Amino acid sequence: MTRSARAGLLYFAFCFAASAILGPIRVIALEPSLGRTAAVAIEAPLMLAVMVMTARALLHRNRRADPLAIA
């Protein structure tokens, strides 16, 4: 498996795990009291932060000497 494919799978795994944790919290704790739109508006920035931090960490971990190297 190439490094880029492994990084893509790790990115998917971390983001999926975050959504599996935050989704039920949103549905069970936030939606009944705030409504669906407000609950999603609260969850979205958290998911965005997880996605950005995961992408940065994986890019930093898989950095090469040549920034134009594909695989």
Side-chain angles (χ1 to χ4, degrees):
M1 181 180 299
T2 63
R3 290 174 69 175
S4 56
R6 191 175 322 129
L9 286 174
L10 281 172
Y11 178 79
F12 167 77
F14 278 110
C15 293
F16 185 82
S19 67
I21 293 168
L22 291 175
I25 292 171
R26 173 182 48 89
V27 171
I28 294 169
L30 296 176
E31 275 188 20
S33 60
L34 299 175
R36 181 176 289 169
T37 305
V40 171
I42 291 171
E43 181 193 21
L46 297 174
M47 281 302 300
L48 181 62
V50 167
M51 290 187 282
V52 169
M53 289 188 306
T54 302
R56 289 177 125 184
L58 288 172
L59 285 174
H60 180 70
R61 180 176 172 212
N62 293 318
R63 187 176 55 198
R64 289 178 167 239
D66 181 14
L68 298 177
I70 301 297

